[in-house]
Amino acid sequence: MVQLARRLRQDFDRIQMEHEFAIDEMLTKVSILRREFQHLHRYNPIEHVTSRVKSPSSTLKKAARLGIDPTPEAIRERIRDIAGVRITCSFIADTYRVLEALTSQTDVRVINVKDYIAEPKPNGYKSLHALIEIPVFLSTGAVNVAVELQVRTIAMDFWASLEHKIHYKYDGDVPAGLVTSLTAAARAAQILDEHMEQLHREVRGLDTDTVD
Ligand code: GTP
Ligand code: MG
């Protein structure tokens, strides 16, 4: 029994480590894109990047919630958001450009892409989501590890982080008045995004040195 528990513990530590490595790989890819873009266009489309690995205990909680067997095999196969990378871009066009640049790399296998910018969630949530797999090279060979990518603008990110706090505070049961206000704020964020993009285009049009 003790041995079994120790074995499971080792398996879960390994799963977590593999996902940490996958994040390292993705962060390197993002950093290369960023630096190359800056070099070519003297412009950086990425404002900031954050990442997280779900702890074994929250992975197990999610498995229990979804009725997934708490075995390493089932977890690897069915919980695909253990590794998450969030990229915040300046403008809407950049979100598509950055996602395309990452998902078109030959070692990246795209499992699915959800475009919540073109089709926002009913509450107003916007973002590009891509579930991908990348190989991580270990001493025992390569393993393909899932990473959930989220790409959005600063305005979308600002909205999503407040919405997340409110959702959390009310345990998902957000009062109707607040839901309406949040939806209105999402519209305001969209108007800001469109406005900023327009301004940016005008400014870049004046500066021939930085046109791509
Ligand atoms: P999960 O099981 O939560 O991963 O849902 P899913 O597999 O249906 O994926 P989905 O693309 O809907 O959402 C994945 C992630 O996007 C979530 O874990 C959040 O980080 C983010 N997200 C999705 N919807 C919302 C939303 O309405 N508000 C906020 N703040 N974040 C959201
Ligand atoms: Mg998730």
Side-chain angles (χ1 to χ4, degrees):
M1 194 61 200
V2 172
Q3 236 174 1
L4 185 69
R6 191 179 303 141
R7 179 71 204 276
L8 258 182
R9 176 68 209 261
Q10 277 172 354
D11 285 341
F12 279 98
D13 284 350
R14 192 173 174 88
I15 290 178
Q16 207 194 2
M17 193 176 66
E18 286 168 4
H19 286 83
E20 277 165 14
F21 295 156
I23 284 184
D24 289 346
E25 293 283 356
M26 286 313 298
L27 294 182
T28 301
K29 287 178 183 298
V30 174
S31 165
I32 289 173
L33 275 184
R34 205 176 193 169
R35 283 153 56 202
E36 189 219 19
F37 215 88
Q38 180 74 44
H39 176 79
L40 283 179
H41 309 292
R42 274 186 266 157
Y43 158 70
N44 171 21
I46 297 169
E47 286 288 333
H48 53 263
V49 186
T50 55
S51 64
R52 67 103 181 91
V53 178
K54 253 195 213 312
S55 67
S57 76
S58 31
T59 301
L60 281 168
K61 264 187 218 144
K62 182 163 180 172
R65 200 174 68 237
L66 301 179
I68 297 168
D69 280 346
T71 62
E73 298 73 31
I75 300 266
R76 270 204 182 84
E77 201 182 297
R78 302 204 34 212
I79 304 198
R80 313 312 309 272
D81 63 347
I82 296 176
V85 173
R86 183 174 294 154
I87 302 170
T88 309
C89 295
S90 321
F91 305 104
I92 301 168
D94 294 333
T95 63
Y96 287 98
R97 199 183 281 184
V98 166
L99 187 73
E100 174 61 26
L102 289 171
T103 53
S104 60
Q105 298 188 6
T106 51
D107 56 344
V108 172
R109 190 165 92 90
V110 180
I111 312 287
N112 66 49
V113 174
K114 295 181 198 166
D115 185 349
Y116 295 123
I117 294 182
E119 281 182 64
K121 290 203 171 182
N123 61 1
Y125 176 77
K126 284 185 158 195
S127 226
L128 298 177
H129 289 191
L131 179 60
I132 58 155
E133 270 182 6
I134 52 159
V136 169
F137 297 92
L138 303 169
S139 62
T140 44
V143 278
N144 291 320
V145 183
V147 179
E148 185 187 81
L149 282 179
Q150 296 181 353
V151 191
R152 53 209 199 199
T153 63
I154 307 169
M156 293 171 199
D157 191 53
F158 190 27
W159 182 91
S161 62
L162 182 62
E163 192 273 345
H164 179 74
K165 275 182 209 141
I166 294 174
H167 193 87
Y168 193 79
K169 181 178 156 88
Y170 290 95
D171 205 11
D173 199 10
V174 182
L178 262 180
V179 172
T180 309
S181 300
L182 273 170
T183 314
R187 261 198 309 277
Q190 174 173 342
I191 291 166
L192 179 64
D193 264 339
E194 285 165 1
H195 208 119
M196 297 300 266
E197 189 139 15
Q198 172 69 28
L199 264 175
H200 178 67
R201 239 182 271 131
E202 284 170 21
V203 173
R204 281 174 73 77
L206 297 175
D207 185 356
T208 47
D209 260 2
T210 53
V211 172
D212 25 31

